[in-house]
Amino acid sequence: MASVPSQLQVGWLRQRLSTIWRSLAAIRHPARSLTGKLMAFVLLTTATALLVAGTSLLATDLYQDRRAWSEQLQSGADILAFATAPALSFDDRTAAQRTLAALERQPAIHAAAIYDARGLPIAVYRRGAAAPPPAQVPVLSPGLHFSGTQGELLQPVIQGGERLGSVYLRGQYEATGRVVTYLNVLAVVMFAGLVAAMLTAGWLQRAITQPMESIAHVARQIVERRTYALRAGKTTHDEFALVVDAFNNMLGEVQLRTQALEQSNQALKEAAAVRQAAELAMLASERLYRAIGESINYGVWVCDAAGRNTYASESFLALTGLTLEAYCYPGWIEVVHPEDRAAVRAAWRECVRSGSAWYHEHRIRDVHGQYHFILAQGVPIRDEQGHIERWAGIHLDIGRLKQTEQALREADRRKDEFLATLAHELRNPLAPIRNAVFILNSPNANDTQRQRARDVIDRQVRHMSLLLDDLLDVSRVTRGQFLLKKEYVDLKAVCDMAIETARPLIQAKNHRLNVTLPPVPVTVEADPLRLAQVISNLLTNAAKYTDAQGHIDLEVVLGDAELTLAVRDDGIGLSSESIPRLFTMFSQVDSSIDRAQGGLGIGLALVKGLVELHGGTITVSSPG
């Protein structure tokens, strides 16, 4: 009695395995089998649903895990920033190193460093053979940054509103183990789901697709053997039996018309093939040449043997606003710059006469009235006897090339002016220094003369030192390596410092300086030395370009959310052409040495850089 359930179970299992095997056999040829399509549809739907669900769960789990890892790293950075603030304040490298040593219990962190305000490390840490932290504070915005599975975090250390330094952490987010485990579970679930889907598809195959397989078998034979004498057999007496009868009747009707249609179809196919081949060849050739022409800046052009225009690309016509008819007559010469027309006409006539290649630069007017530099190139097309049939060429946009050429010439001119002025600036102090040295070496010089010589050397050396300091400062500002030493200072004290610096030149030219400050004391957060340098440079520049006994105004206006500082003078003024480049390196309003007093044209460039480092802006205006 105990063997009966066991035999039933074995039989059921064999039946299910047989169903699965038949289903697998049908899937091997899904394109030729309705059963295969049904099985493939069921399996693909099931597999897709399982993959989408599994992938979504895996992505969500990894996102939450990575977010938790990021928050843990951020918390560690916050704790390190708080713990290392005293060490940074007192430059205690030992304490900072002890703080980093606690990271040994954090296996996810591979490297760390504490940098001072200058960006130099005072303590570093790395785990095992991991790469060390950067030798200088990396150029990163505060916060966590990922590159693949590696995360870098830069946390500023701020105490009392002052940035003492930075904390840098680098860790490796490992999710391989979690992904492998998850994929193993997903594989088991997918296998079980696919087995269930195959059993379900097997039942559907027996109930639905078997009646259709007889029709499919006959249809396959008709396709392969090209005969309509075959008929499908009935396997059921339900609705599918009506489909089989209709299919057989259709085969009979088709068989009668096939022979008549085959002859006419063959003739039509041959005629259509010839016509289609000719059309495709003609359309393909037209598209090819049109695409080549439109890919060039301003397209292609064609002329007849006498040099008269016959064609231009749409790109050129759209640029100039001409129609093809207007381009051909009176011709494209109408959009050439008036100053270039005579030379273009003469060059083109000579080209047509000699039959040589066409190569000419000129300007053309666009539809908005603006002129563009173009390079027109072309070659003659000759027949077998060597006679010119027509001309073909292209228009190239060389506007950027011309702008670059002009910019290079301007830069070269400014470089020459700067070198000449720099040589003048360096040569001027050397003459009095050489004379002073001669006096010091003279045995007949008395003490008063020797002291005066030393004063001359000291004054001229300080002048050269200030000149070189300005050059170094503007270079640092340009390269982004200038660091401000901000503090809370009284604005009036800064203005007094600047006025004191500029006073010798103002008094030497008998200028009248009028200073207007807010009625209440104003405290600003700034680098006092550099802010005073900005104001003194503006005052000195005004004094240089203002004639003797002129007027200079320094006014400070306190607004609701900003502070405005203005320097005005009644000097020579500025032309509209010089204003856009006033704050660029080596720019001078007047290149004459006596007017500019030997300046290198870097003062205002330095002013602009220092103002922008303080978070401000600078503008200039002049009636002319």
Side-chain angles (χ1 to χ4, degrees):
M1 295 297 294
S3 63
V4 175
S6 177
Q7 292 177 356
L8 292 176
Q9 293 174 356
V10 171
W12 180 86
L13 181 60
R14 288 179 177 175
Q15 183 179 3
R16 294 296 179 268
L17 291 176
S18 177
T19 300
I20 294 175
W21 177 254
R22 288 196 302 271
S23 300
L24 290 174
I27 294 177
R28 288 181 295 177
H29 305 287
R32 294 184 297 172
S33 170
L34 181 62
T35 302
K37 290 185 176 66
L38 179 62
M39 294 295 297
F41 173 79
V42 173
L43 293 181
L44 286 175
T45 303
T46 304
T48 301
L50 291 173
L51 282 175
V52 170
T55 303
S56 301
L57 292 175
L58 177 59
T60 302
D61 186 68
L62 289 178
Y63 171 78
Q64 296 295 338
D65 186 65
R66 179 167 168 171
R67 181 177 179 181
W69 184 85
S70 301
E71 292 175 353
Q72 181 182 2
L73 194 65
Q74 182 66 57
S75 299
D78 293 338
I79 295 172
L80 282 177
F82 178 80
T84 57
L88 286 171
S89 298
F90 297 97
D91 196 21
D92 190 346
R93 297 175 179 265
T94 303
Q97 192 63 47
R98 284 199 305 269
T99 303
L100 287 185
L103 295 177
E104 190 65 34
R105 294 192 294 272
Q106 299 290 334
I109 299 177
H110 291 179
I114 299 174
Y115 300 92
D116 59 16
R118 298 171 300 172
L120 300 177
I122 66 171
V124 296
Y125 162 81
R126 68 172 177 174
R127 180 178 295 275
Q136 286 187 338
V137 63
V139 183
L140 295 173
S141 59
L144 182 60
H145 305 268
F146 273 100
S147 177
T149 60
Q150 178 176 284
E152 291 183 292
L153 188 144
L154 186 66
Q155 176 71 25
V157 180
I158 300 175
Q159 188 177 48
E162 180 182 5
R163 181 165 181 166
L164 302 178
S166 305
V167 172
Y168 171 79
L169 297 179
R170 185 173 69 235
Q172 192 76 18
Y173 172 69
E174 296 292 345
T176 305
R178 182 179 294 272
V179 172
V180 171
T181 302
Y182 203 96
L183 291 178
N184 290 333
V185 174
L186 179 62
V188 173
V189 173
M190 287 189 64
F191 178 77
L194 291 176
V195 170
M198 291 176 66
L199 293 174
T200 303
W203 176 81
L204 290 174
Q205 187 269 337
R206 292 192 305 272
I208 298 176
T209 64
Q210 186 175 4
M212 298 299 297
E213 287 183 350
S214 62
I215 297 178
H217 176 72
V218 173
R220 188 177 298 112
Q221 294 296 318
I222 292 173
V223 172
E224 294 175 354
R225 296 162 57 181
R226 297 294 180 181
T227 177
Y228 294 93
L230 300 176
R231 298 294 183 267
K234 292 185 180 180
T235 57
T236 63
H237 298 282
D238 51 13
E239 295 85 353
F240 286 105
L242 298 177
V243 176
V244 172
D245 291 337
F247 178 72
N248 290 333
N249 292 335
M250 179 190 66
L251 290 179
E253 186 69 21
V254 170
Q255 187 177 8
L256 294 176
R257 299 185 180 183
T258 299
Q259 295 178 351
L261 290 176
E262 284 181 350
Q263 295 179 353
S264 60
N265 285 342
Q266 185 63 31
L268 290 175
K269 286 180 181 179
E270 292 176 356
V274 173
R275 181 176 179 180
Q276 184 178 13
E279 291 179 350
L280 288 177
M282 181 179 64
L283 292 172
S285 176
E286 180 181 355
R287 287 196 303 269
L288 174 62
Y289 287 109
R290 185 178 297 274
I292 293 175
E294 295 300 334
S295 66
I296 302 171
N297 296 133
Y298 295 147
V300 301
W301 52 267
V302 179
C303 294
D304 60 18
R308 292 184 294 268
N309 303 117
T310 59
Y311 172 78
S313 296
E314 290 295 331
S315 56
F316 185 83
L317 297 178
L319 174 71
T320 58
L322 296 174
T323 63
L324 183 58
E325 292 77 11
Y327 174 79
C328 297
Y329 183 82
W332 57 273
I333 198 68
E334 297 297 322
V335 295
V336 175
H337 196 284
E339 297 177 0
D340 301 342
R341 290 179 186 175
V344 172
R345 280 195 179 101
W348 177 241
R349 288 168 182 165
E350 175 60 23
C351 186
V352 173
R353 186 196 66 80
S354 62
S356 59
W358 169 245
Y359 187 95
H360 200 276
E361 293 182 10
H362 50 270
R363 292 166 288 178
I364 59 171
R365 185 184 66 247
D366 65 14
V367 68
H368 303 294
Q370 302 295 322
Y371 283 93
H372 302 260
F373 277 98
I374 69 166
L375 172 62
Q377 299 183 93
V379 293
I381 300 176
R382 303 177 183 271
D383 58 17
E384 295 179 354
Q385 289 73 33
H387 300 135
I388 296 178
E389 291 183 337
R390 51 187 166 174
W391 299 76
I394 59 175
H395 290 136
L396 296 177
D397 180 9
I398 59 172
R400 291 185 179 179
L401 180 63
K402 289 293 183 180
Q403 293 174 359
T404 303
E405 179 182 345
Q406 182 63 29
L408 289 175
R409 289 178 179 172
E410 176 66 16
D412 188 65
R413 183 190 64 79
R414 289 171 55 192
K415 177 207 63 175
D416 293 340
E417 291 182 356
F418 165 70
L419 292 177
T421 308
L422 179 61
H424 181 82
E425 278 287 318
L426 295 177
R427 186 179 63 235
N428 281 348
L430 291 178
I433 289 175
R434 185 166 50 248
N435 293 334
V437 171
F438 177 78
I439 293 173
L440 290 175
N441 292 332
S442 175
N444 299 325
N446 55 35
D447 293 340
T448 301
Q449 291 174 329
R450 293 178 185 276
Q451 182 59 44
R452 187 179 302 153
R454 284 191 289 268
D455 292 341
V456 169
I457 293 174
D458 178 69
R459 183 167 59 255
Q460 297 301 331
V461 168
R462 279 191 286 108
H463 175 74
M464 294 177 68
S465 177
L466 291 175
L467 174 64
L468 295 176
D469 287 343
D470 282 348
L471 285 172
L472 291 175
D473 286 344
V474 77
S475 175
R476 293 191 196 100
V477 170
T478 303
R479 292 180 296 164
Q481 297 178 346
F482 197 95
L483 296 177
L484 295 177
K485 298 178 180 179
K486 290 187 177 181
E487 58 183 82
Y488 290 98
V489 295
D490 180 47
L491 181 61
K492 183 178 183 302
V494 174
C495 291
D496 292 341
M497 188 189 313
I499 293 171
E500 186 64 26
T501 303
R503 190 179 301 279
L505 181 58
I506 295 175
Q507 291 179 345
K509 301 186 70 172
N510 293 324
H511 291 321
R512 180 178 178 181
L513 176 63
N514 182 34
V515 181
T516 304
L517 298 177
V520 296
V522 178
T523 301
V524 295
E525 183 185 11
D527 187 325
L529 179 62
R530 298 306 179 182
L531 185 57
Q533 186 178 7
V534 168
I535 300 174
S536 66
N537 278 8
L538 293 176
L539 292 174
T540 301
N541 188 75
K544 284 183 179 181
Y545 294 97
T546 301
D547 293 329
Q549 299 180 351
H551 297 79
I552 300 175
D553 295 328
L554 171 61
E555 182 181 12
V556 179
V557 179
L558 182 62
D560 295 335
E562 63 181 7
L563 184 70
T564 303
L565 187 149
V567 175
R568 302 181 181 88
D569 62 71
D570 54 2
I572 62 174
L574 296 168
S575 63
S576 59
E577 294 81 8
S578 63
I579 289 179
R581 54 185 177 87
L582 188 65
F583 295 104
T584 58
M585 283 284 289
F586 316 133
S587 174
Q588 293 188 2
V589 176
D590 192 339
S591 61
S592 60
I593 300 300
D594 59 341
R595 172 67 72 179
Q597 297 189 3
L600 287 176
I602 63 175
L604 293 182
L606 181 58
V607 166
K608 181 176 183 292
L610 292 176
V611 168
E612 291 177 349
L613 285 177
H614 279 86
T617 57
I618 185 167
T619 58
V620 62
S621 62
S622 176

